[in-house]
Amino acid sequence: RLRLHDGKLIKDRRYHLRTYPNCFVAKELTDWLIDHKEAPDRETGIRLMQKLMDHYIIHHVCDEHSDYKDAKLLYRFRKDDGTFPLSKDVKVFMRGQSLYEKLVSVEESILKVREENSVKYQRTFLGCEMIDWLVQEGEAENRKEAVELGRALLEHGIIQHVSNRHHFFDSDILYQFWINFRRRRRLTELLNENSSRALSESPDSPFCLRKLNPDPGNTSFLSVQTNKEIKIVSAVRRSSITSLAGNSNPYFSTAPAWAFPPVAECNPKSVLKRPVTNEELLSPGAPYIKKTLTIVGDAVGWGFVVRGGRPCHIQAVDPGGPAAAAGMKVCQFVFSVNGMYVLHLDYQTISSLIMTGPRTLMMEVMEALE
């Protein structure tokens, strides 16, 4: 936006006897994206601008077009006409960016390269140091308010504990800025923001499914129900199999055999009766209780399936598995994993935390009061 202002692509324009301030012509902007190597071709440029429209960053000056057309139509950045929606997420992100810029611009910054468990981390600070700085600089009135700010920054993925094991505390625990706000980003990164990660291809959490009597020639997982017949569950993607196969042969090297037609790739229907937000879970007086579960994994995992995101929920529990024995139930929400607050994370990230953590899993869950 600022570069377009500098280049005079954004300016007041007259159309049909009316002046539209601070707008740009879509066709001219597409040309600019290609000329400045922000897009390799017009099709990509259109997709990029559509992404900005979908995120309520730009819009047609009269809101007559919900999509971005590569034509002589006038569009405008919502920041230029006061219609940009300042949601809580956006406000926290902007606050984090402001604090980061302030911290890196001072000579004796608390952001330093530090080491923990023989691993060096960039842009780190102690929790108590950040609290001191926030109060000293007037960014917070007192230490309690500073802790609340730090927690909001962590919950929105701007800062994190260096090994992802703690929430934000006024202590000597080591944290770091997870986002480098000064890194020059290219617009094309927008098109990759939802690209699949190593764990995201699985329709179920790969650490949860259990397998009995693993046989390299049979790659269907078995879900065991006490005193009931065994139900075969398709191992839809290979990532589900290779993550946990079990016993002495923890990884399969062969491709999965399909137990159902390709339509089985679809995600299973959520067990939740309705969507639940973090705000609802955490609001004072909400009809939810928190429980702490200690789950000792066996040779084939922990025996549950977690789905969704922000917050994640328990989709299924193996009645004969460790999770069921620890008191886990379907429809519970995952509050923390091994001491780390995770309500703001998706199930792929939680999968990674559990897979890389200890065999004894400490989880806090929230369940609805009956």
Side-chain angles (χ1 to χ4, degrees):
R1 169 175 159 266
L2 296 177
R3 291 168 67 195
L4 293 175
H5 271 287
D6 291 339
K8 306 300 182 184
L9 262 76
I10 293 179
K11 60 185 178 181
D12 297 351
R13 298 175 185 270
R14 194 166 179 81
Y15 182 72
H16 284 181
L17 303 179
R18 181 178 173 182
T19 299
Y20 296 90
N22 294 322
C23 59
F24 59 87
V25 179
K27 189 175 185 302
E28 292 181 4
L29 180 54
T30 309
D31 293 336
W32 184 91
L33 291 173
I34 296 173
D35 292 342
H36 289 77
K37 294 182 171 51
E38 291 289 353
D41 49 53
R42 303 195 78 81
E43 180 184 357
T44 303
I46 294 169
R47 289 172 59 205
L48 286 169
M49 291 301 103
Q50 185 61 50
K51 200 79 169 177
L52 296 187
M53 289 196 73
D54 294 341
H55 284 73
Y56 301 99
I57 294 172
I58 64 173
H59 67 128
H60 180 256
V61 291
C62 298
D63 290 318
E64 293 177 353
H65 301 281
S66 59
D67 52 356
Y68 181 83
K69 299 181 182 296
D70 185 23
K72 291 185 178 181
L73 295 175
L74 299 181
Y75 292 82
R76 183 188 292 130
F77 278 84
R78 290 185 178 273
K79 286 280 287 182
D80 285 330
D81 62 11
T83 61
F84 183 66
L86 283 174
S87 64
K88 181 182 177 182
D89 290 345
V90 173
K91 288 179 179 178
V92 173
F93 184 88
M94 293 175 69
R95 185 73 184 278
Q97 183 176 25
S98 172
L99 293 175
Y100 180 86
E101 291 293 343
K102 195 170 181 179
L103 281 165
V104 298
S105 62
V106 297
E107 290 185 6
E108 296 296 327
S109 175
I110 62 173
L111 299 186
K112 298 175 182 177
V113 177
R114 290 183 174 90
E115 188 174 306
E116 183 175 284
N117 296 329
S118 301
V119 179
K120 287 187 177 181
Y121 297 96
Q122 304 290 327
R123 302 185 295 276
T124 68
F125 55 88
L126 300 177
C128 55
E129 282 185 341
M130 176 62 83
I131 300 298
D132 292 339
W133 182 84
L134 290 171
V135 175
Q136 178 184 329
E137 295 296 318
E139 296 287 348
E141 290 188 6
N142 49 54
R143 301 190 77 81
K144 180 182 177 181
E145 185 179 306
V147 170
E148 292 175 354
L149 174 56
R151 289 188 161 234
L153 294 175
L154 186 143
E155 290 166 15
H156 284 76
I158 295 171
I159 65 173
Q160 67 171 18
H161 176 247
V162 291
S163 56
N164 272 327
R165 294 190 177 276
H166 298 286
H167 208 312
F168 184 78
F169 295 102
D170 185 0
S171 67
D172 59 356
I173 297 176
L174 193 60
Y175 301 89
Q176 69 181 153
F177 269 88
W178 183 237
I179 299 176
N180 180 1
F181 289 100
R182 289 195 169 184
R183 181 177 71 83
R184 169 76 183 280
R185 289 167 175 79
R186 303 195 68 83
L187 275 177
T188 49
E189 292 181 35
L190 284 174
L191 302 180
N192 301 321
E193 64 175 12
N194 293 323
S195 61
S196 60
R197 287 174 281 181
L199 294 169
S200 64
E201 291 186 356
S202 170
D204 293 303
S205 301
F207 57 87
C208 300
L209 298 176
R210 300 167 58 77
K211 183 175 171 61
L212 296 183
N213 302 322
D215 176 3
N218 180 358
T219 55
S220 294
F221 282 95
L222 304 180
S223 177
V224 186
Q225 300 184 17
T226 308
N227 298 326
K228 293 185 180 180
E229 63 178 347
I230 291 177
K231 176 184 177 184
I232 298 181
V233 183
S234 170
V236 180
R237 307 270 181 106
R238 184 175 179 182
S239 56
S240 293
I241 301 168
T242 57
S243 297
L244 267 188
N247 292 346
S248 60
N249 180 20
Y251 297 100
F252 284 109
S253 59
T254 56
W258 297 98
F260 295 109
V263 70
E265 287 192 39
C266 298
N267 290 338
K269 183 178 179 181
S270 173
V271 295
L272 299 179
K273 294 180 180 179
R274 63 178 181 82
V276 175
T277 64
N278 287 339
E279 288 73 17
E280 179 180 343
L281 281 177
L282 301 175
S283 61
Y288 296 93
I289 58 173
K290 189 188 298 182
K291 293 184 176 181
T292 302
L293 308 178
T294 302
I295 309 169
V296 181
D298 59 18
V300 286
W302 291 270
F304 67 95
V305 174
V306 64
R307 297 290 299 152
R310 306 176 183 90
C312 289
H313 63 273
I314 304 303
Q315 174 78 6
V317 179
D318 181 349
M328 180 174 284
K329 300 176 184 177
V330 169
C331 293
Q332 290 174 332
F333 295 95
V334 185
F335 182 86
S336 72
V337 172
N338 295 326
M340 178 183 175
Y341 175 89
V342 296
L343 279 182
H344 62 298
L345 301 178
D346 55 28
Y347 78 88
Q348 295 98 334
T349 306
I350 293 178
S351 302
S352 178
L353 287 174
I354 294 179
M355 288 294 291
T356 57
R359 180 180 175 185
T360 299
L361 175 63
M362 300 292 295
M363 287 184 65
E364 286 183 295
V365 296
M366 299 184 72
E367 68 176 41
L369 291 170
E370 297 182 358

